[in-house]
């Protein structure tokens, strides 16, 4: 039970850190191409990851692995997902790009059931579907606008593709955590994504201003910390349960859009955000709700069976 709740706490912390990372990525995207951002985000992330391994007294021992192909497969999915996410962030407001990412938990539920043989229960599935409805409300003002511009369509397409690759990447993380330490997974992911970013040099990198450098380093540091927290969370609790807590990222996205860019979602989008948070709360108290309903049914059954006076 303690492990389960610590997994939820770590997932919430990871969500907040990823929200700040997304802000840094969007700010950096005004000057730097996506491949350059991926390199900085991944290479700088190695700093907190290595410090984490040293703190756990696992460095350099944790770099040894018996599953190099597993790390390559997981990192490939994750690297593609990162590229797509950063393209989406470059073309869309934080809240809208984040809303598209929420398609991943809905995709993750059947993937986790089939590949990990998890049984999330009816309440978790229902809450996840409710969260997806909230995502639809978030997207509605944009989708209902006549004549969507080219950049918005690119951002939406990249966001949907990001959701699909993210679902498969998380399944790979969960599979690796059965034998691999979380720090090892995070380390090899950062290394492989750094290489992926370097491969984009021939397509052109931009000269960096001091502000851009700060944004890129900020994205790397917060991304590294978030990745460690997320991997540790997946090692402690079922992927299908943790998926609904990703919806709290919408709170971060709305706040950061408002504070930094002065953008506030339409009322219908805010309603979607509320629905998303309620879905996460239902999953958080899944066991307590089911136990309460079961007790209520038992009491009603006992009352019906008791003889009338």
């Amino acid at each position: 039970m303690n492990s389960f709740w610590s997994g939820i706490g770590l997932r919430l912390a990871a969500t907040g850190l990823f929200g700040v990372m997304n802000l840094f990525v969007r700010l950096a995207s005004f000057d730097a191409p996506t491949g350059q951002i991926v390199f900085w985000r991944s290479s700088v992330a190695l700093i907190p990851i290595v410090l984490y391994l040293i703190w756990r007294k696992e460095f350099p021992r944790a770099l040894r692995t018996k599953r190099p192909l597993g790390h390559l497969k997981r990192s490939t999915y994750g690297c593609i997902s990162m590229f797509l996410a950063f393209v989406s962030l470059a073309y869309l407001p934080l809240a809208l790009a984040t809303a598209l990412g929420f398609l991943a938990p809905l995709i993750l539920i059947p993937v986790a059931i089939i590949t990990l043989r998890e049984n999330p229960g009816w309440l978790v599935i229902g809450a996840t579907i409710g969260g997806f409805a909230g995502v639809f409300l978030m997207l509605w003002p944009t989708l209902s606008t006549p004549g969507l511009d080219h950049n918005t369509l690119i951002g939406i397409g990249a966001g949907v593709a990001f959701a699909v690759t993210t679902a498969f990447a998380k399944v790979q993380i969960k599979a690796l955590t059965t034998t691999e330490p979380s720090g090892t997974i995070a380390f090899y992911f950062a290394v492989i994504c750094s290489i992926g970013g370097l491969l984009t040099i021939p397509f052109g990198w931009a000269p960096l201003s001091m502000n851009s450098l700060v944004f890129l380093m900020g994205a790397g540091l917060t991304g590294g910390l978030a990745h460690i927290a997320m991997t540790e969370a997946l090692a402690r609790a079922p992927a299908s349960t943790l998926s609904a807590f990703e919806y709290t990222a919408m709170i971060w996205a709305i706040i950061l859009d408002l504070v930094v860019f002065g953008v506030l979602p339409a009322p219908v989008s805010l309603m979607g955000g509320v629905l998303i948070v309620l879905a996460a709360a239902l999953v958080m108290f899944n066991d307590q709700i089911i136990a309460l309903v079961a007790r209520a049914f038992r009491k009603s059954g006992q009352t019906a069976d008791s003889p009338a006076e």
Side-chain angles (χ1 to χ4, degrees), residues 46 48-50 52-54 56-68 70-72 74-75 173 176-177 179-192 227-228 231-232:
L46 286 169
I49 291 171
V50 171
Y52 168 74
L53 293 174
I54 293 174
R56 290 180 58 90
K57 299 180 180 179
E58 296 177 352
F59 188 86
R61 173 172 50 86
L63 305 188
R64 295 193 297 268
T65 177
K66 296 180 181 179
R67 301 176 64 183
H71 286 285
L72 180 61
R74 175 269 177 277
S75 298
I173 294 173
L176 280 174
T177 55
T179 60
E180 301 290 288
S182 59
T184 306
I185 298 172
F187 178 84
Y188 284 111
F189 173 69
V191 169
I192 292 173
H227 191 78
I228 291 170
T231 306
E232 285 285 345

Side-chain angles (χ1 to χ4, degrees), residues 161-174:
F162 158 70
V164 175
T165 54
T166 295
F168 285 95
K170 288 178 179 176
V171 171
Q172 294 300 319
I173 294 173
K174 184 64 177 179

Side-chain angles (χ1 to χ4, degrees), residues 14-36:
T15 301
L17 288 166
F18 275 128
V20 178
M21 184 204 75
N22 287 342
L23 171 64
F24 284 131
V25 168
R26 177 152 177 78
L27 291 170
S29 69
F30 296 144
D31 298 317
T34 301
Q36 190 172 8

Side-chain angles (χ1 to χ4, degrees), residues 215-240:
F215 297 149
L216 290 169
M217 293 189 69
L221 291 173
T222 53
L225 292 171
H227 191 78
I228 291 170
M230 185 186 73
T231 306
E232 285 285 345
L234 286 166
R236 288 167 165 76
S240 53

Side-chain angles (χ1 to χ4, degrees), residues 62-127:
L63 305 188
R64 295 193 297 268
T65 177
K66 296 180 181 179
R67 301 176 64 183
L69 292 180
H71 286 285
L72 180 61
K73 187 176 180 180
R74 175 269 177 277
S75 298
T76 299
Y77 277 122
C79 193
I80 294 172
S81 178
M82 185 185 294
F83 268 93
L84 292 168
F86 290 0
V87 170
S88 182
L89 286 166
Y91 288 106
L92 300 174
L94 290 175
L96 183 52
T98 302
L100 288 171
F102 286 143
L103 292 171
L106 187 65
I107 299 169
L108 182 59
I109 291 294
V111 172
I113 292 173
I114 295 171
T115 62
L116 301 179
R117 297 183 179 179
E118 292 185 0
N119 183 20
W122 63 270
L123 186 59
V124 172
I125 294 175

